[in-house]
Amino acid sequence: MLIHPQINPIALQVGPLAVHWYGLTYLAAFALFMFLGMRRLRHPPFARLTGSQAWGAKDVEDILFLGVMGVVLGGRIGYCLFYKPGYYLSHPLEVFYVWQGGMSFHGGLLGVIASMVWFAHSRKKPFWQVADFVAPCVPTGLAAGRVGNFINGELWGRLSPPDLPWGMVFRDGGPLPRHPSQVYQFLMEGLLLFVLLWLYARKERAQGQVAAVFLFGYGVFRFIAEFFREPDAFLGLLSLGMSMGQWLCVPMILGGALAWWWLGQRKSSV
């Protein structure tokens, strides 16, 4: 049994200015996206695009900026709609109280999709091409976010067997050991998904299939991780004994698989 180290959430403080570890993980996520995006420019089909269809560093910077806006707005709105719609309907102004916490990955994903639609329209690029460019650069950012969750000692897992060597006691999780589900998600949704997706994307695929593999892969890994993650106290487990996170992953898994098949069929028929 391990004890969570209870790391100070403030990484650096100079007078009234405090820099939080969680903020640093967001900066790391954005830096990793920029680093990988520049290398994505060398992958097919982007490396051979010319003229107005060519991709450059400015495109990477702009899609990152729009993606950040999509994550923040979509993540907050998604949390309010998916997890506490009744509460925020009664307290609409608290939707803007982002300092109180409450973000949804699935809402953030919808926000990013909206930002990609805007980018594709404004740059006259195919939406699926934009989605294929972005998808392999995302998992490392998700991994960075899970590091922040672990440092903060939040989003811990369900109770683990007492003899589990890596079972961990969290400060706000009671005296019994729990699964360090943040670590599980870091390894599956972050590192493993990144490796698989990056290798898959290095060869030219039917347009949209890389993004479809991201949807399917994230949905599967998150669905598995939710078996070990403590469900939200105000929701608990829903029908069929599944958490809200698992139910939100179902359309991702089905949609990703169907999109991958349909896009492949469309390419073969052209």
Side-chain angles (χ1 to χ4, degrees):
M1 184 174 73
L2 305 174
I3 305 296
H4 183 264
Q6 297 185 20
I7 303 167
N8 188 336
I10 297 177
L12 176 66
Q13 184 157 9
V14 180
L17 179 64
V19 179
H20 289 250
W21 284 110
Y22 204 68
L24 292 178
T25 63
Y26 268 80
L27 289 177
F30 302 151
L32 285 166
F33 182 95
M34 194 67 197
F35 174 80
L36 294 172
M38 295 302 293
R39 277 143 188 80
R40 187 86 174 104
L41 295 174
R42 306 172 189 171
H43 290 176
F46 308 101
R48 60 176 171 77
L49 294 175
T50 58
S52 61
Q53 291 301 308
W55 283 71
K58 184 68 164 56
D59 293 305
V60 182
E61 294 170 0
D62 290 347
I63 194 64
L64 172 59
F65 173 77
L66 291 171
V68 170
M69 296 295 292
V71 165
V72 174
L73 295 177
R76 181 59 179 170
I77 295 171
Y79 176 81
C80 298
L81 291 177
F82 298 153
Y83 290 90
K84 292 185 176 181
Y87 177 84
Y88 286 105
L89 188 62
S90 302
H91 305 81
L93 290 179
E94 292 192 26
V95 171
F96 304 100
Y97 293 4
V98 294
W99 56 88
Q100 293 183 353
M103 296 285 283
S104 161
F105 166 82
H106 297 86
L109 175 64
L110 293 175
V112 169
I113 291 174
S115 72
M116 290 192 298
V117 170
W118 175 271
F119 179 86
H121 175 75
S122 64
R123 301 297 169 90
K124 295 182 172 55
K125 296 181 183 295
F127 168 76
W128 283 116
Q129 183 187 92
V130 176
D132 281 347
F133 183 89
V134 169
C137 306
V138 171
T140 53
L142 302 178
R146 296 309 175 194
V147 171
N149 296 146
F150 182 80
I151 290 174
N152 287 348
E154 62 189 8
L155 304 184
W156 19 260
R158 306 184 193 189
L159 294 176
S160 67
D163 58 346
L164 186 70
W166 56 86
M168 184 170 288
V169 175
F170 291 89
R171 179 177 61 250
D172 298 322
L176 298 176
R178 295 179 174 273
H179 288 281
S181 56
Q182 316 97 320
V183 178
Y184 299 171
Q185 292 184 263
F186 168 83
L187 294 173
M188 288 193 295
E189 304 162 12
L191 296 189
L192 181 56
L193 181 59
F194 166 71
V195 170
L196 295 176
L197 199 58
W198 192 260
L199 293 175
Y200 182 79
R202 286 182 65 85
K203 294 183 179 180
E204 189 157 4
R205 309 291 179 179
Q207 195 171 91
Q209 281 193 319
V210 173
V213 168
F214 170 82
L215 284 177
F216 178 81
Y218 179 87
V220 168
F221 289 141
R222 176 66 182 268
F223 191 92
I224 294 171
E226 286 284 330
F227 283 114
F228 302 96
R229 177 171 162 172
E230 182 73 14
D232 296 283
F234 55 87
L235 285 177
L237 295 176
L238 306 178
S239 56
L240 301 180
M242 288 164 49
S243 67
M244 174 61 82
Q246 287 175 312
W247 276 112
L248 292 174
C249 283
V250 170
M252 290 185 68
I253 296 170
L254 296 177
L258 289 173
W260 185 88
W261 175 82
W262 176 71
L263 292 163
Q265 293 292 110
R266 188 177 68 168
K267 180 183 178 181
S268 63
S269 63
V270 173

